[in-house]
Amino acid sequence: DQMKGRAIEDAEFPLMLDAVDKVIPEYADDWKHYLTGLWHSGLRRSESIRLSWDAGDGFEIHQTDLFWKFRIRAGKQKNKRGQLCVMTPDFAEWLQRVTPAADRNGLVFNPIGHKGWRLTDSEVGRVVSEIGRAAGIVTDEAEGRCATCHDLRRSFGTRWASRVMPA
């Protein structure tokens, strides 16, 4: 089976950020922050909107040692076991740079919709797709699909594939 999309290229990502101003100008800074977080983290959309600086919804940033990690609390994944997962250095550095230590509490990302409240997982997906359309980034010619959250995840995987040794 063929993929339903492709990775967004480095030169295309700034086009997505620019398109945010057209799609959701009233919350443009929050959405640019969110898209940049997806670009650097490789998180799934559902994971990204749950990610917390503290205990939150069981998916949080573990900041207690030299290398930041993702902490998944027991019971919040299929195997019912807690786990610490590696976070890429560029995502950790970006988070540290854009989030002052005093603001590192609650949710990491707060995608707000046109009506002023936090969006659900599927609503976030629709807004990101709208941003991809506004940017003119077609990721599936046959289906006419434009850039999505999953295409940002593919981009992360493509960039990191050459940096990491396979298991």
Side-chain angles (χ1 to χ4, degrees):
D1 292 342
Q2 265 189 287
M3 287 191 303
K4 296 179 181 178
R6 65 167 175 81
I8 296 165
E9 297 174 13
D10 291 351
E12 293 174 318
F13 183 64
L15 300 175
M16 282 193 78
L17 295 178
D18 290 343
V20 170
D21 294 318
K22 298 173 202 159
V23 174
I24 191 153
E26 60 272 19
Y27 300 104
D29 290 342
D30 292 335
W31 280 93
K32 289 176 184 181
H33 177 77
Y34 178 67
L35 292 175
T36 304
L38 289 181
W39 179 258
H40 286 298
S41 69
L43 291 171
R44 291 177 178 90
R45 184 180 70 215
S46 60
E47 295 167 340
S48 68
I49 65 170
R50 287 179 39 223
L51 184 61
S52 176
W53 289 104
D54 39 44
D57 191 23
F59 185 56
E60 67 219 38
I61 295 173
H62 181 72
Q63 320 168 50
T64 60
D65 56 12
L66 180 62
F67 300 103
W68 283 15
K69 297 175 180 78
F70 295 109
R71 171 182 274 159
I72 306 168
R73 299 277 177 176
K76 293 296 179 176
Q77 61 180 344
K78 285 183 180 180
N79 68 9
K80 306 289 185 217
R81 293 165 53 186
Q83 184 177 12
L84 286 175
C85 300
V86 176
M87 178 185 293
T88 61
D90 60 334
F91 183 51
E93 290 165 9
W94 176 77
L95 283 171
Q96 291 171 43
R97 189 174 65 253
V98 301
T99 312
D103 294 340
R104 294 178 191 161
N105 54 54
L107 294 168
V108 175
F109 301 110
N110 193 27
I112 303 293
H114 295 288
K115 295 180 181 176
W117 57 70
R118 184 174 167 77
L119 300 180
T120 65
D121 180 30
S122 59
E123 291 169 331
V124 168
R126 283 192 288 276
V127 171
V128 173
S129 294
E130 193 176 336
I131 292 167
R133 259 189 312 283
I137 302 170
V138 178
T139 56
D140 186 341
E141 295 278 341
E143 297 289 325
R145 284 194 184 110
C146 292
T148 65
C149 291
H150 198 75
D151 296 322
L152 287 167
R153 182 171 164 80
R154 278 190 188 95
S155 303
F156 171 85
T158 300
R159 287 192 317 278
W160 275 88
S162 62
R163 300 180 192 184
V164 180
M165 293 300 297

